[in-house]
Amino acid sequence: MEIEYCTQCRWLLRAAWTAQELLTTFGLRLGEVALVPGTGGVFEIRLDDETIWSRKASGFPDLAELKRLVRDRIAPELSLGHSDNR
Amino acid sequence: MEIEYCTQCRWLLRAAWTAQELLTTFGLRLGEVALVPGTGGVFEIRLDDETIWSRKASGFPDLAELKRLVRDRIAPELSLGHSDNR
């Protein structure tokens, strides 16, 4: 999957944190998480070329919600522990 | 480019830090930096499918040296400041 972030907005740290959260949760189930530098206020998360989160549409993602979106697509049997209970 | 890291060895944080260093230095000059979960003690950095660093051959990379390797390939005119002077 890919996280495209706006370099002008200095969202690299936020993007890298999001990537680490996803890789910590899903590990080898994810082929990769790519950090993609962009411009113009972009913060978009794509999985197999489908945009599953866009800041312009929905603000920044809640991590628990984002993990559920990813889980439902790549590992529907996986329990997310407390992230499932919000 | 890609950074493949060993999940069993818990090298995600190291890989993510390396990715952030490269993206901070090269920004939009890099199309993307992908974090790729792997196994078996792998810590490999690839640029356009060429392996430019492998832990098994060379240990963990010195960041200044790694940045010079990347700079020489993607932006030979770019000054790296103090990283050029070691």
Side-chain angles (χ1 to χ4, degrees), chain A residues 2 5 7 12-13 16 19-20 23-24 27-28 30-39, chain B residues 2 5 7 12-13 16 19-20 23-24 27-28 30-39:
Chain A
E2 298 185 332
Y5 66 94
T7 55
L12 169 57
L13 196 63
Q20 287 174 76
L23 285 162
T24 298
L28 296 163
L30 283 172
E32 64 173 51
V33 178
L35 298 168
V36 181
T39 56
Chain B
E2 296 185 334
Y5 67 94
T7 54
L12 169 58
L13 196 63
Q20 287 174 76
L23 285 162
T24 299
L28 295 164
L30 284 171
E32 64 172 50
V33 178
L35 298 168
V36 182
T39 57

Side-chain angles (χ1 to χ4, degrees), chain B residues 8-85:
Chain B
Q8 301 155 315
C9 314
R10 306 190 185 196
W11 289 339
L12 169 58
L13 196 63
R14 185 189 289 266
W17 166 66
T18 306
Q20 287 174 76
E21 284 278 345
L22 294 171
L23 285 162
T24 299
T25 298
F26 298 104
L28 295 164
R29 295 166 197 260
L30 284 171
E32 64 172 50
V33 178
L35 298 168
V36 182
T39 57
V42 68
F43 194 89
E44 269 198 16
I45 301 175
R46 293 184 289 270
L47 180 59
D48 297 332
D49 296 320
E50 179 197 3
T51 299
I52 62 169
W53 200 280
S54 167
R55 189 194 65 89
K56 289 179 182 172
S58 315
F60 288 109
D62 173 75
L63 255 287
E65 189 175 347
L66 178 61
K67 286 180 183 180
R68 286 193 297 269
L69 287 174
V70 173
R71 186 269 313 273
D72 292 350
R73 281 165 176 78
I74 70 166
E77 80 295 349
L78 183 69
S79 167
L80 293 174
H82 67 273
S83 291
D84 268 329
N85 303 321

